Amino acid sequence: MPASAADSAIYRNLFSDDATAALFSDSAEIRAMLLVEGMLARVQGELGLIPETAAAYIERASRETQIDPSALAAETATNGVPIPALVAAFRKEMKAPEYAQFLHWGATSQDIMETGLALRLRRVTEIWDERLGALVATLGKLAAAHADLPMAARTYGQAATPTSFGALVSGWGHPLLRHRARLAALRPELATVSLGGAAGTLSAMGPEGPAVRAGLAKALGLSDPGHSWHAERDRIGAFSAWMAGLMASLGKIGEDLILMTQSGIDEIRLEGAGGSSTMPQKQNPVGPSVLVALARHSVALASAMQGAGLHRQQRDGSAWFVEWLSLPQLCISTGRALALAEQVIASLSPDADAMARNLNAGGGLIHAEALSFALARHMPRPEAQARIKELCAEAIRAGGSLPDLVRRDFPDLDLAIGSLGTAPSEARDFAAQAAV
Amino acid sequence: MPASAADSAIYRNLFSDDATAALFSDSAEIRAMLLVEGMLARVQGELGLIPETAAAYIERASRETQIDPSALAAETATNGVPIPALVAAFRKEMKAPEYAQFLHWGATSQDIMETGLALRLRRVTEIWDERLGALVATLGKLAAAHADLPMAARTYGQAATPTSFGALVSGWGHPLLRHRARLAALRPELATVSLGGAAGTLSAMGPEGPAVRAGLAKALGLSDPGHSWHAERDRIGAFSAWMAGLMASLGKIGEDLILMTQSGIDEIRLEGAGGSSTMPQKQNPVGPSVLVALARHSVALASAMQGAGLHRQQRDGSAWFVEWLSLPQLCISTGRALALAEQVIASLSPDADAMARNLNAGGGLIHAEALSFALARHMPRPEAQARIKELCAEAIRAGGSLPDLVRRDFPDLDLAIGSLGTAPSEARDFAAQAAV
Amino acid sequence: MPASAADSAIYRNLFSDDATAALFSDSAEIRAMLLVEGMLARVQGELGLIPETAAAYIERASRETQIDPSALAAETATNGVPIPALVAAFRKEMKAPEYAQFLHWGATSQDIMETGLALRLRRVTEIWDERLGALVATLGKLAAAHADLPMAARTYGQAATPTSFGALVSGWGHPLLRHRARLAALRPELATVSLGGAAGTLSAMGPEGPAVRAGLAKALGLSDPGHSWHAERDRIGAFSAWMAGLMASLGKIGEDLILMTQSGIDEIRLEGAGGSSTMPQKQNPVGPSVLVALARHSVALASAMQGAGLHRQQRDGSAWFVEWLSLPQLCISTGRALALAEQVIASLSPDADAMARNLNAGGGLIHAEALSFALARHMPRPEAQARIKELCAEAIRAGGSLPDLVRRDFPDLDLAIGSLGTAPSEARDFAAQAAV
Amino acid sequence: MPASAADSAIYRNLFSDDATAALFSDSAEIRAMLLVEGMLARVQGELGLIPETAAAYIERASRETQIDPSALAAETATNGVPIPALVAAFRKEMKAPEYAQFLHWGATSQDIMETGLALRLRRVTEIWDERLGALVATLGKLAAAHADLPMAARTYGQAATPTSFGALVSGWGHPLLRHRARLAALRPELATVSLGGAAGTLSAMGPEGPAVRAGLAKALGLSDPGHSWHAERDRIGAFSAWMAGLMASLGKIGEDLILMTQSGIDEIRLEGAGGSSTMPQKQNPVGPSVLVALARHSVALASAMQGAGLHRQQRDGSAWFVEWLSLPQLCISTGRALALAEQVIASLSPDADAMARNLNAGGGLIHAEALSFALARHMPRPEAQARIKELCAEAIRAGGSLPDLVRRDFPDLDLAIGSLGTAPSEARDFAAQAAV
């Protein structure tokens, strides 16, 4: 009974991403939490907090036990957290109460859940980093291939000046290079162990508390923050904001593609575009539209995550629940958007003829700036601009060509139109950066 | 692989609502869409657009056919809508191509999906209306029962003046009365048929188009808007905003309960409060915290829905997808919050002793306003306020009781403190309104 | 030092609206609050709570006194509300302490501020209602004038089927008709007096409290809610959501205009479009872009307003402050968007030639649905769709015209293309509704 | 006519920040834009794009000219950008048309505005960095001073286990250390020159374009991105997200203080707390409430900024306008929150007696976890937990003390309660980090 389209059997392929979703499945969550409980016991055994035999038994069991997610549902609804039910179920499964009593020794629910989440996010972000790398590389090749392909740059939807398709692509790619660098800075923050005990003082572990935390971090390959951080939500907030920022950049690609595939513009063709239930001709830019939608939705979810940073006192159930409601969806959408962007980019081909047609349409008004600078070599620039503006008006009124009108009035002028300026070199520069 | 905690086997009981979720299941969605296709055929048969035998066959089949949701996934991912796949699967299931060809005659995906959604939302909002009624009635009884129970009103968390618990409860209930009235105004808007054909002109149905729409509306018990409205998103936007508004009002109840159950305040006791994995004493206000969390999350989702109102041209896939990503979650959260609020209210009991203790704590400073007015009968009010303010300061500094200090300085003054003012009558008035 | 572009001398004309902003000026706020204090005194005088001579004096002074807004700044920063400073300044200005002491008798800051706001919003929404009426009327005339003007309907930016410009305009207008009806339902809710005293019990007014509230409501032409509602934020939340919904509908007009004015589409011409600092030819759709921007910004602000509905206990300074930070901007943007929409609509003219050109471009693929239905009269519809789909592909591949290809293969077929379906009648129906 | 409370003469001291607002004033914006125009001319003169005498004249004039902001309003409203009006006004002021024609040579509005913004944000973020440093240092001292001051940690508002006030403070401070580090990473990104010309190709500058950009960057002390980035909004998006994250962390401090100053909790006293217009005793936590409100409002604004990352094509007026509507308010709120947080922290004093009272209240249930671990040394832990849970219930029912009940049932047990665990050392560790 899906609350999320990503969980729907009908819509899953449109909105979900298997690799990311796998890490947010109920079983993956339970698996990660059991792993943390097992490692916690091992470390506590090594440090003498609990008997080593119990520790060994718990750790081994933590790898082997299967817990049915739905068996935790009723008690989770009462307690607000699944850990009491999980610990009870695990203890029962262990069938060794003399050892099982040492499970979850001195930890609190949030320790186990968030350390488990850290493990899963480490893997999730690793997958995404690879995808980002591949996407940037694909964009780099596309930019290089079309570094010199002329097209009309548009501001406010209006033809502005000539540019190249490669330069447009490089404008898609640059933010991704930076998002990737930001992710690299974020990842270690996310890969942080949480161990604070009931309310952040680790008091049930006695003086060994910090050593347990350090040992657990080491055992799991996470970093030890050196203190409890249950109520410090800035890291997950920054991660959410990063996702929203990435999604906005991917959504921008989607928006551009929707505009460029418009009937009458036709500058981009997408393989495998979507069909209609009633219009045989339709080739809808479904992928780009999904990118835009995921971006808008994710920006809203990320604002919920940031708001959850107002986390009261040592633990704020309401703020924490907001994260649970928002984060998995946000991550799965991010995973989907990355995979889909790669797929969309791979399926697109620019139509050089259509680009040329659009560039030359509209009476060549797109060359107005270039012509005004050409003319400004022979008269003051404000005057040149005014003259060209008049000729633009004439061209629109009479339907003529601006360059022709300029030639008529200034027969000796070197028009010098059609320059792509820095567009080709910018495209190549990006390609070079993307290839690293 | 849940993107939503409401879809998780672990967390479902905490965040989902069976009755609402049932109407957003894949099978409920398919069932509703088939019903619309069946009724469309019947109406078109009656009007002579398609053969009556075909119409009858299609309608019957629409009630009997089972379509596997996951069989639609691949094609839905390509087309962005499930209808082409659904129509193809349905046609195939019918095993009567001579009739099946008349299925989905002149309609577009959005017609079928949104009319199906209208049917489901009609039922969903009916359930909620009943819940709202029951919740208001429960609050009415609570307000009446405790109309005269004194407690400290708080502004900025500070004891302000005495009020009654019943008055507080009536403040929870009044917005719900209004939300219910707003829902009554919204429901007919939502229960509107959508039939516009490919791009809103019904051209494939010829001159009978409007009659088909009217007939379909009648057959389904929906209203006929008299025109196509694919790109008019104000109704679903207003509905989403209504949910956010309702959730905020329920979240406010949650916030108040979290504050009133605090250790050291203890004015409310909740049966069945949540336990901790490590602290045996904990009775956490889990239900109230969930109400707050659902409210915060829903406000964010509703903003995504409102943003999707910027729906471009005759159909904007990206804006529409945002609705798909947001609406089911929003509805399921609303259903959950309504059920949970009722459950939380039913489980609470006010602690009159604790309320009295808090009312009298703090040296009786809560009576400062009343005392200033009592004194103002004997001197100018600014002077009276200033005198009381000085005595407040003395009471804080020396730890004494403000009323005692006033008695010391003004032995003949009739202190007239402890009035609950309009609180009891407001509680009873609300109870009377809630009982209707 | 503007935090808001609407408050900037540079950007004011772009983003602000004089008529709305005038009601949110510091002096308008002070004026409204003084008016409420004056009326409160008068009513309390009539009911014998305060001396009638004092009441008369206060009321008269409330109309005549000028309070310098900046004189309230320091104390407002300390208290979080301007009323203590306002009352002190007013008392001082009155130069009659024997009367002045009866000012603000038993009221609290929120009573005065929110009743003052109700007065201002009553006027603001009256202005908007007129604007909405005028805008709808203008759209009605536009729809009527172009009810039969053919253009390509677009879904996903792709040519879908023919429609008429009048039908598009009616799609802009219908939501506005509904928003106007919603506003009519909201206005009485907003025009509600607030009088609850310190914490909602009116205790300082004794048994006369409810009579004072009723009298104040009557004197100000507001409604008496019959109870205190300081912490009930659903009305202002619903109003904010209404603004967001309206803005989304206006933003949709902006989006459509941006798309229709695109170079190469050119279906709409806007008088007075914006120029560039360097491109002489540019005619940027500035107005439509502002409509979109105001909509996006307002949706975000409205979500802050809805979130402020989680208002804790009897008064929650933090939640209330969020409203102060959001509401004036939201209202001024709404006023601006309404004025701008009217201005943009009045300045646009459709280009019938461009519309015809776009309709016939792309090899007539836009007629594919109509052709498939024409063909379906002679063969099963799935087969007809498949045949037309093949011919679409051929037309795209070979650059031919779909209708020609159909004629080639089915020489006897009555093509029956170009129907606008219900578009013209929908446009006229809307015009008729808009004229009421 | 303030749309923003920060621009109101009444509310300015509550919501604005002089140092930040000064950099967003109309005159500061004009000053920065003129500076960029002047430096652009100088660099172009050096590179021979424009005559050196003209360049020198323009640069000098750019430092001396005064432009009246309101003189730009009308034209800005038409063009959507102030640069055409600014350039015209500047040219007129220069009274040297032969030089003035070389002003703004080959640049576009966005180049000038965003490079000007970069200059202002560099200064703004420098101020904030200092404030963050001072705030962290203040928190460090507070944490050190109260590292051992016992208080009740609370989860869900419920007493959980003992902690220390210093540990709470360190939990406020750690995120600020990280936010400061994030700001250090962001600042160079923000301090980036923008020079792309009309649509990002610098074509009007010929082959010298990149050299002009590099020269301009050097002259202004900004970095040269090596390409045009008009439509790459990730940097401003990341900056906005950073502000939202910081604000959430400061809002968390506000929330904690509101809870700790509650009547009946009284653990914190704030000097200079706010007064009421009718309640003489009130000492409202106004500052903390403002922190919370600014945080909630800023999170909403930041989501508008992130959404504006879906910036279409080479320039998207609507997306860019959203930034103009959001960014100044976001920055001024951030500046205010930083200043206010420092002020609030400096004005607070913990009440050790109240903390001790709350710690020992509630029958000592807060020691339940510690007692369960003490008991677990003598019996299996699940049994120990169950026994303590029973005694908790008895203590609640009968009103006794949990430690006493434990002593009664287990007279030989070493209770070992009251440990602050790692709280003191965490407080000191933070103090050490904060002192760097």
Side-chain angles (χ1 to χ4, degrees), chain D residues 41-65:
Chain D
R42 190 175 89 182
V43 171
Q44 290 178 325
E46 287 165 5
L47 289 165
L49 257 85
I50 64 172
E52 285 222 55
T53 44
Y57 194 95
I58 292 170
E59 192 202 349
R60 195 169 49 247
S62 77
R63 300 185 188 278
E64 294 164 2
T65 305

Side-chain angles (χ1 to χ4, degrees), chain A residues 117-140:
Chain A
L117 180 62
L119 294 173
R120 294 185 288 139
L121 289 181
R122 182 176 55 188
R123 177 65 190 130
V124 163
T125 52
E126 184 180 33
I127 295 169
W128 296 353
D129 179 62
E130 284 162 21
R131 288 186 186 175
L132 257 174
L135 178 56
V136 163
T138 304
L139 288 170

Side-chain angles (χ1 to χ4, degrees), chain C residues 325, chain D residues 15 247 289-299 333 336-337:
Chain C
L325 288 164
Chain D
F15 295 121
M247 298 294 271
S289 300
V290 171
L291 286 176
V292 172
L294 292 174
R296 291 277 177 210
H297 188 241
S298 295
V299 165
S333 290
R336 172 59 176 153

Side-chain angles (χ1 to χ4, degrees), chain A residues 155 158-159 261 263 278 282 369, chain C residues 155 158-159 261 263 278 282 369:
Chain A
T155 61
Q158 306 294 304
T261 55
S263 305
T278 189
K282 287 304 288 293
E369 192 207 27
Chain C
T155 60
Q158 305 295 303
T261 55
S263 305
T278 189
K282 285 305 286 296
E369 192 205 26

Side-chain angles (χ1 to χ4, degrees), chain B residues 154-160 259 261-263 277-282 284-285 289 296 312 365 368-369 385 392, chain D residues 154-160 259 261-263 277-279 281-282 284-285 289 296 312 365 368-369 389 392:
Chain B
R154 286 170 185 264
T155 60
Y156 290 87
Q158 304 296 303
L259 292 172
T261 55
Q262 284 172 103
S263 304
S277 67
T278 189
M279 293 171 280
Q281 87 281 14
K282 285 305 286 294
N284 292 325
S289 300
R296 292 276 176 211
R312 288 171 287 195
L365 292 183
E369 192 206 27
Q385 276 190 304
C392 287
Chain D
R154 287 172 184 264
T155 62
Y156 290 87
Q158 306 295 302
L259 292 172
T261 55
Q262 284 174 104
S263 304
S277 66
T278 189
M279 293 172 280
Q281 86 282 11
K282 287 304 286 296
N284 293 325
S289 300
R296 291 277 177 210
R312 288 171 288 196
L365 292 183
E369 192 206 28
K389 203 161 187 174
C392 286

Side-chain angles (χ1 to χ4, degrees), chain B residues 10-332:
Chain B
I10 305 174
Y11 297 100
R12 178 175 298 160
N13 292 16
L14 196 56
F15 295 121
S16 189
D17 171 57
D18 284 350
T20 306
L23 286 150
F24 285 95
S25 68
D26 288 331
S27 56
E29 180 173 357
I30 289 176
R31 177 71 25 234
M33 294 192 294
L34 288 178
L35 175 63
V36 176
E37 295 280 13
M39 280 296 180
L40 177 65
R42 188 176 89 181
V43 171
Q44 289 178 327
E46 287 166 3
L47 289 165
L49 257 84
I50 66 171
E52 284 221 55
T53 44
Y57 193 95
I58 292 170
E59 193 203 347
R60 196 169 49 245
S62 76
R63 301 183 186 278
E64 293 164 1
T65 305
Q66 298 291 339
I67 308 272
D68 174 17
S70 57
L72 310 181
E75 213 179 326
T76 299
T78 300
N79 296 326
V81 279
I83 298 292
L86 181 77
V87 166
F90 186 18
R91 277 190 179 134
K92 200 172 155 200
E93 282 296 314
M94 281 172 69
K95 296 185 209 309
E98 69 282 18
Y99 299 144
Q101 62 164 311
F102 294 104
L103 175 67
H104 192 65
W105 190 265
T108 195
S109 295
Q110 198 169 356
D111 295 329
I112 305 306
M113 291 175 70
E114 300 213 315
T115 302
L117 179 63
L119 294 173
R120 294 185 288 139
L121 289 181
R122 183 176 56 187
R123 178 65 190 132
V124 163
T125 52
E126 185 180 35
I127 296 168
W128 296 354
D129 179 64
E130 285 162 20
R131 288 186 186 173
L132 257 174
L135 177 56
V136 164
T138 305
L139 289 170
K141 282 173 206 153
L142 193 66
H146 304 291
D148 300 291
L149 174 57
M151 65 174 282
R154 286 170 185 264
T155 60
Y156 290 87
Q158 304 296 303
T161 69
T163 186
S164 81
F165 179 57
L168 176 67
V169 172
S170 78
W172 295 343
H174 277 297
L176 301 184
L177 282 172
R178 289 190 293 268
H179 287 305
R180 200 177 178 206
R182 288 180 195 117
L183 179 61
L186 268 168
R187 291 192 67 214
E189 283 201 353
L190 288 176
T192 296
V193 84
S194 178
L195 193 69
T201 68
L202 280 178
S203 49
M205 297 191 197
E208 302 297 337
V212 174
R213 187 175 55 225
L216 182 62
K218 196 171 168 200
L220 294 169
L222 300 172
S223 69
D224 174 13
H227 66 279
S228 296
W229 56 273
H230 295 150
E232 301 173 15
R233 313 313 297 172
D234 59 299
R235 284 180 280 226
I236 204 80
F239 176 53
S240 301
W242 176 84
M243 288 189 276
L246 171 68
M247 299 293 271
S249 296
L250 299 176
K252 185 253 189 296
I253 301 177
E255 288 282 15
D256 284 357
L257 291 175
I258 293 170
L259 292 172
M260 295 176 81
T261 55
Q262 284 172 103
S263 304
I265 304 293
D266 305 308
E267 295 178 334
I268 290 283
R269 203 161 283 280
L270 294 173
E271 267 173 64
S276 153
S277 67
T278 189
M279 293 171 280
Q281 87 281 14
K282 285 305 286 294
Q283 298 206 313
N284 292 325
V286 171
S289 300
V290 172
L291 287 177
V292 172
L294 292 174
R296 292 276 176 211
H297 188 241
S298 295
V299 165
L301 288 176
S303 80
M305 288 294 295
Q306 291 272 41
L310 288 96
H311 190 109
R312 288 171 287 195
Q313 300 183 320
Q314 278 77 11
R315 188 168 313 123
D316 180 340
S318 59
W320 197 24
F321 294 158
V322 169
E323 296 183 10
W324 303 1
L325 288 164
S326 308
L327 189 72
Q329 178 69 66
L330 202 42
C331 288
I332 290 172

